[in-house]
Amino acid sequence: MLFNSLTFCIFLPVVLLLVGRAGLNRRNWILLAASYVFYGAWDWRFLALLMGSTVVDYTVARLMDAADDSPRRKTLLVISMVTNLSVLGFFKYFNFFIGSAVSLVQSLGGEINRPALQIILPVGISFYTLQAMSYTIDVYWRRMPAIQSLRDFALYVAYFPQLVAGPIERATALLPQIQSPGRVTPERINIGLMLMIVGFTKKMLIADSIANITGPVYSNPAAFTAGELIQAAYLYTFQIYCDFSGYSDIARGVSELLGIRLMQNFQQPYLSQSVTEFWRRWHISLSSWLRDYLYIPLGGSRRGEVRTYVNVLLTWLICGLWHGAAWTFVVWGGLNGVYIAIERFFGIARTPPVTPRSPGQWAKRVVATVLTFHLIVVTFIVFPSPTFTDLWHYLTGIAVLDNLSAVGMLPLLVGAAVFLIDIPQNAANDDTVFLRLPWWLQSPLYAGLVFAMLLYGEREVPFIYFQF
């Protein structure tokens, strides 16, 4: 079920009404049923995967919590990890690895038939798998006890606002709210509605409006001039941000209406002064998950400089592969890893942000921000390219430098719209800063945005990160 669909416009008020009239016990049953309906709306057959993962991790965590000996606890953790990663690996990576093996054999002169399996990727499987795994790992590390209620754990895994595209919540933060949700006050309703309006604005008025321009370019870059390719690269950089952060804003807004606060997943990343800072602000729930459950267990920065760089690159290569079953995603992850390793080598990653106090400091900050933004634009040429051939056509097409006038003003206009949202939020260090506006300004502003979405917004366009 899409947030930007008529079905969801009916679904959400019904859920809010039922939850609002229910006690805690019935409330969680209603939310769990609603979450399964929400997920099953795509393909009810994949509910079995979601439920199966839930039962395995719930059972393993209970057994692990009761076990005293370390070998038994470790064996149970391995069972959970293997089960989750096997399901994820089969549905997301089977065709990728088989295809890569076939291509390798053929390049060496061998002949091999590729198995013909049409595997459909269950929506959101990458997100809820990481969320379930973080719970069992935390129980193994004794950061938290195993939860006793299967219903509440199932709701933690399947909670519909953030089920299919995050944020990837930690059990230590989300489970207590499921077991004891906060009161839905007028203040929380205002926050929720404001976040939803901002999220829908990003998605429907910005991201979806430029998708018709970027889509054809990335699908067939050889057919476009350098100017058109450069313009599409800038536009896609704003498109994917508004699409994904828009989803996160809507998810957080919906959850506020239910009395549960989700973590902030984006913090104005295009105002970053380094790629390292960018990844502290972009998809925060994933980057922090990779840090806590992959980078640090690998040794982090505790085992010398060489091992640190190896850990950084390995983490980002895995991050790339998590995003999609294609070698271009691996290259994208590796490119981010190289950026971060270089910044670490030159001490840029360790440089604390400074509040500019002079024109020189402001100039330095602007230059760093502009440079970082363009480094990210390069990664978003790699990210959506289906194959290396398409990526090659894109890069060589830009190198020709023909028809540069085609870049035009559109990227600047789109960027201005994005920064009209981001700069006030960043300056106030508060993504609810628009609630500080006087009511007589808020009301026409929100009404105008809703009217514009109804009049010009695209209908039921899937969110980009659903494919991951």
Side-chain angles (χ1 to χ4, degrees):
M1 191 183 300
L2 293 170
F3 285 157
N4 51 332
S5 68
L6 178 60
T7 305
F8 187 76
C9 290
I10 298 171
F11 169 84
L12 180 60
V14 171
V15 172
L16 292 174
L17 179 63
L18 293 175
V19 167
R21 297 173 63 88
L24 179 59
N25 186 56
R26 287 180 55 219
R27 165 198 169 90
N28 284 356
W29 281 117
I30 292 169
L31 280 177
L32 180 59
S35 297
Y36 284 153
V37 169
F38 180 87
Y39 190 74
W42 273 286
D43 193 326
W44 62 268
R45 295 171 297 177
F46 291 131
L47 279 171
L49 284 176
L50 180 61
M51 294 176 178
S53 173
T54 298
V55 171
V56 168
D57 290 319
Y58 170 80
T59 304
V60 163
R62 290 287 303 273
L63 294 172
M64 194 159 44
D65 203 32
D68 293 326
D69 55 303
S70 180
R72 177 175 170 79
R73 290 171 56 81
K74 188 171 294 185
T75 299
L76 289 165
L77 177 64
V78 169
I79 290 173
S80 171
M81 300 283 283
V82 168
T83 301
N84 282 293
L85 293 177
S86 295
V87 172
L88 179 63
F90 175 77
F91 281 95
K92 190 166 184 175
Y93 302 107
F94 179 84
N95 285 331
F96 168 65
F97 286 120
I98 291 295
S100 298
V102 169
S103 298
L104 178 61
V105 171
Q106 290 175 345
S107 68
L108 296 175
E111 294 185 7
I112 186 173
N113 293 323
R114 177 172 179 169
L117 284 179
Q118 298 298 322
I119 300 174
I120 301 173
L121 179 65
V123 66
I125 189 171
S126 298
F127 290 88
Y128 72 71
T129 297
L130 292 192
Q131 186 155 308
M133 286 171 57
S134 70
Y135 166 74
T136 54
I137 295 171
D138 283 348
V139 172
Y140 173 77
W141 284 339
R142 297 199 183 279
R143 290 176 174 171
M144 62 176 295
I147 187 171
Q148 303 300 306
S149 170
L150 176 58
R151 178 204 62 195
D152 289 354
F153 178 69
L155 181 54
Y156 160 74
V157 176
Y159 184 53
F160 77 86
Q162 47 86 228
L163 171 60
V164 294
I168 304 166
E169 285 288 340
R170 305 293 178 85
T172 51
L174 184 54
L175 271 173
Q177 296 188 81
I178 287 174
Q179 295 172 313
S180 181
R183 288 184 61 247
V184 182
T185 61
E187 180 184 6
R188 297 193 77 161
I189 293 173
N190 287 337
I191 292 173
L193 293 176
M194 186 276 298
L195 287 173
M196 291 174 67
I197 290 173
V198 170
F200 279 120
T201 298
K202 290 178 180 178
K203 168 63 176 171
M204 298 177 67
L205 294 182
I206 301 178
D208 292 347
S209 297
I210 58 182
N212 294 328
I213 299 174
T214 60
V217 175
Y218 278 92
S219 298
N220 185 21
F224 294 87
T225 64
E228 292 167 325
L229 293 170
I230 293 171
Q231 174 175 263
Y234 281 119
L235 290 177
Y236 184 81
T237 302
F238 289 119
Q239 178 193 347
I240 192 170
Y241 169 57
C242 289
D243 192 283
F244 193 16
S245 70
Y247 181 95
S248 296
D249 289 338
I250 298 166
R252 293 175 61 219
V254 169
S255 194
E256 285 288 336
L257 301 182
L258 293 167
I260 293 176
R261 181 150 295 169
L262 299 178
M263 70 176 293
Q264 186 176 354
N265 209 19
F266 289 85
Q267 194 175 13
Q268 304 83 49
Y270 291 154
L271 297 175
S272 303
Q273 298 179 63
S274 68
V275 176
T276 304
E277 183 187 353
F278 172 85
W279 276 103
R280 295 191 187 115
R281 291 168 170 253
W282 175 282
H283 202 348
I284 299 168
S285 62
L286 175 64
S287 55
S288 62
W289 196 102
L290 292 170
R291 178 197 65 208
D292 294 343
Y293 297 105
L294 182 59
Y295 175 72
I296 291 177
L298 285 172
S301 58
R302 305 186 305 274
R303 300 184 180 179
E305 282 296 307
V306 174
R307 181 62 182 272
T308 297
Y309 291 120
V310 170
N311 292 341
V312 167
L313 291 174
L314 182 58
T315 298
W316 284 102
L317 289 171
I318 292 174
C319 176
L321 190 59
W322 177 89
H323 276 82
W327 287 112
T328 49
F329 285 115
V330 177
V331 171
W332 169 82
L335 181 57
N336 277 284
V338 169
Y339 283 163
I340 291 170
I342 291 173
E343 288 180 351
R344 181 181 179 84
F345 180 80
F346 287 103
I348 297 173
R350 293 187 291 272
T351 302
V354 295
T355 301
R357 298 181 182 275
S358 68
Q361 290 178 335
W362 273 108
K364 182 179 179 180
R365 181 171 186 170
V366 169
V367 169
T369 301
V370 171
L371 176 60
T372 299
F373 175 78
H374 282 86
L375 290 174
I376 297 303
V377 171
V378 174
T379 70
F380 284 133
I381 294 175
V382 181
F383 186 83
S385 296
T387 66
F388 283 134
T389 300
D390 293 302
L391 177 58
W392 176 252
H393 285 314
Y394 209 115
L395 295 176
T396 55
I398 290 176
V400 174
L401 296 179
D402 62 330
N403 193 27
L404 294 182
S405 61
V407 176
M409 294 294 295
L410 186 56
L412 290 176
L413 294 174
V414 172
V418 172
F419 290 124
L420 276 174
I421 299 172
D422 278 14
I423 289 177
Q425 290 179 333
N426 188 72
N429 193 27
D430 180 7
D431 61 348
T432 65
V433 65
F434 300 113
L435 291 176
R436 302 180 189 178
L437 296 173
W439 68 267
W440 52 265
L441 187 56
Q442 282 189 55
S443 299
L445 175 61
Y446 295 157
L449 289 173
V450 171
F451 180 75
M453 283 184 271
L454 293 174
L455 197 61
Y456 302 110
E458 298 288 340
R459 301 293 189 273
E460 302 197 15
V461 178
F463 290 83
I464 292 174
Y465 261 69
F466 281 13
Q467 63 186 293
F468 306 134

